[in-house]
Every structure is written in structure tokens, then in C-alpha cells.
Amino acid sequence: MYSSINHTCWECKYHVVFIPKYRKKAIYSQIRKSLGKVFKELARQKECLVEEGHLCSDHIHMLLSVPLKYSVSQVIGYMKGKRAIYISRNFYGRNCNYVGYKFWARGYFVSTVGRN
């Protein structure tokens, strides 16, 4: 499926993988149940689409469709940041953001997905 604006037609899909800090097995039970819906909502806020996703115990795979006006790093940074705040408030009982608290590891893996 192609997306388009006035003079441009595109299909930009990326395979993205990221992990929790220290690769802890932190994506379990309650956190796992809420991750999928929230990632899809955060992607929608940036005009992106999570085409497919898999939540493993220590990492996340996503097939992400990103419009041309956003960079992949901008979208991933937004999604990881907002999600870390949500997790710290709802699952770890923190009312405000503490400096130095991180849920996700700093980096991520991204690869373009082409057509066969």
C-alpha cells in the first residue's frame, strides 16, 4: 500500500528492534498486556502505523511504516520516551519523572524493508 501527497508517492517501512535496559526480562504480564495498544497509539500520534509487532520477554520487534516528514530516530525516540514515563508511573509507582531513570536501553536496531 502506497501513501501519497501532492507530488510524492512512497512506501517507507522499517523493521525496528529495541530492548529494555540491561536486557532484563521486564516485558511480562501487566506491562506486556498494555504495550501493544500504547505503541500503536503513540505511532498514530506521529502519523505512523505499526504494521506488525512481536513482544518477546527481553526485546520488541516492530514493522513500522513512517511518513517522509519524520525520521526513524525521531519516531523511535518519541515512542520509547513516552512509554518509559507510562511504565514508571503505572507499574513502578513513581509520581514524577526521576532524573536518571531509564526503562529502555539507549540504542535500537533498524533495517529497511523492501519489496520482492
Side-chain angles (χ1 to χ4, degrees):
M1 179 175 109
Y2 293 106
S3 299
S4 64
I5 53 177
N6 290 338
H7 302 286
T8 308
C9 184
W10 77 89
E11 182 182 42
C12 298
K13 294 185 182 185
Y14 302 94
H15 175 222
V16 179
V17 180
F18 51 93
I19 62 173
K21 191 90 170 168
Y22 307 117
R23 207 158 171 101
K24 291 181 180 175
K25 310 267 189 234
I27 306 171
Y28 283 119
S29 64
Q30 293 296 91
I31 294 176
R32 184 183 186 119
K33 290 177 185 175
S34 66
L35 274 176
K37 286 185 261 181
V38 175
F39 274 131
K40 287 181 181 179
E41 177 60 27
L42 290 173
R44 189 190 61 75
Q45 289 175 8
K46 284 287 189 181
E47 302 172 37
C48 299
L49 178 64
V50 176
E51 306 263 343
E52 192 175 334
H54 297 286
L55 302 170
C56 301
S57 63
D58 65 345
H59 64 282
I60 294 176
H61 290 269
M62 283 193 293
L63 178 60
L64 197 59
S65 180
V66 180
L68 293 176
K69 67 181 180 177
Y70 295 114
S71 68
V72 178
S73 62
Q74 187 179 19
V75 172
I76 298 301
Y78 176 78
M79 291 173 70
K80 285 171 61 174
K82 293 294 185 186
R83 194 63 189 144
I85 292 169
Y86 177 84
I87 289 170
S88 69
R89 287 186 181 164
N90 293 325
F91 297 104
Y92 294 119
R94 298 182 179 191
N95 295 329
C96 60
N97 299 332
Y98 294 100
V99 175
Y101 177 75
K102 307 263 191 235
F103 183 79
W104 302 111
R106 192 171 176 188
Y108 59 92
F109 168 81
V110 64
S111 174
T112 57
V113 178
R115 295 179 59 104
N116 290 335

